[in-house]
């Protein structure tokens, strides 16, 4: 306000006009930084990233804005990946859910899974793999029977019975 008063009274007084512009820039940067911090607190990564990107573009070395920008981008990526895992889980694409969680864990090994998506998908994948193994044993046994290889077929069917009594 003092610089504004000086410039208003005498525009060519020393470097008051330059100082006024500098003060306005600092005020703008502080506003962008405060907006970014508020957005991060609210987990609004898009707004935080937008404010921080603008700030870093204008003053790359402002406080820890560059680090906060990188962290915000990482958090947004994690949030996007988790949302993708949720959509895939809802669609019953269990292997894809597990693959997305591999990406999440690569970025942040301790990332929370409040909905239990990974554990649920892993159970479904294990069930699918078990069913595939049983179907493979059964198919091999049928092929051995069709070929007249009775001892081999009997061995495969015994394995199948031991693994899953009453299968087919």
């Amino acid at each position: 306000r003092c610089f504004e008063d000086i410039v208003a009274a005498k525009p060519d007084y020393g470097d008051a006009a330059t100082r006024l512009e500098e003060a306005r820039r600092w005020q703008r940067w502080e506003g962008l930084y405060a907006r970014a911090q508020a957005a991060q607190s609210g987990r609004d990564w898009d707004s935080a990233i937008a404010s921080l990107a603008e700030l870093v573009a204008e003053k790359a070395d402002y406080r820890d804005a560059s680090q906060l920008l990188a962290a915000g981008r990482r958090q947004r990526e994690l949030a996007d990946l988790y949302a993708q895992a949720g959509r895939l889980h809802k669609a019953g694409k269990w292997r894809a859910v597990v693959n997305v969680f591999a990406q999440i864990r690569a970025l942040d090994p301790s990332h929370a899974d409040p909905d239990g998506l990974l554990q649920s998908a892993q159970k479904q994948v294990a069930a699918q793999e078990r069913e595939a193994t049983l179907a493979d044993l059964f198919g091999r046994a049928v092929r051995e029977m069709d070929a007249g290889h009775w001892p081999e077929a009997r061995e495969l069917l015994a394995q199948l019975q031991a693994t899953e009594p009453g299968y087919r």
Side-chain angles (χ1 to χ4, degrees):
R1 283 191 303 250
C2 290
F3 285 126
E4 287 173 344
D5 291 344
I6 293 170
V7 170
K10 191 166 182 174
D12 59 345
Y13 182 79
D15 62 350
T18 303
R19 297 285 184 160
L20 176 58
E21 287 307 311
E22 183 180 340
R24 286 181 176 155
R25 278 194 307 275
W26 278 97
Q27 187 177 31
R28 175 175 160 64
W29 297 334
E30 185 57 36
L32 286 169
Y33 189 82
R35 258 191 295 167
Q37 285 186 316
Q40 280 185 321
S41 294
R43 304 181 79 67
D44 180 359
W45 304 118
D46 290 333
S47 295
I49 290 167
S51 294
L52 289 166
E54 194 174 339
L55 176 56
V56 168
E58 291 181 28
K59 181 145 177 67
D61 62 345
Y62 187 85
R63 294 188 191 183
D64 58 348
S66 294
Q67 293 85 358
L68 291 176
L69 178 58
R73 286 179 173 153
R74 190 173 128 237
Q75 289 302 319
R76 180 178 61 189
E77 184 177 3
L78 286 166
D80 290 348
L81 285 169
Y82 193 79
Q84 179 184 9
R87 289 188 300 275
L88 291 167
H89 189 277
K90 194 171 193 171
K93 297 182 178 182
W94 313 119
R95 175 72 62 196
V97 172
V98 172
N99 292 340
V100 169
F101 268 93
Q103 293 175 301
I104 290 171
R105 296 294 185 238
L107 289 171
D108 180 3
S110 64
H111 191 270
D113 179 11
D115 301 324
L117 301 176
L118 178 59
Q119 184 178 357
S120 172
Q122 286 172 328
K123 285 181 184 178
Q124 293 296 330
V125 167
Q128 288 175 341
E129 288 173 354
R130 179 176 170 79
E131 181 59 34
T133 299
L134 294 172
D136 179 60
L137 270 174
F138 184 78
R140 288 174 38 212
V142 169
R143 285 191 298 279
E144 293 295 344
M145 285 190 296
D146 289 345
H149 302 140
W150 299 107
E152 292 86 353
R154 183 171 178 232
E155 177 62 32
L156 290 167
L157 289 171
Q159 286 178 24
L160 185 60
Q161 182 64 23
T163 305
E164 183 71 32
Y167 183 79
R168 294 197 184 179

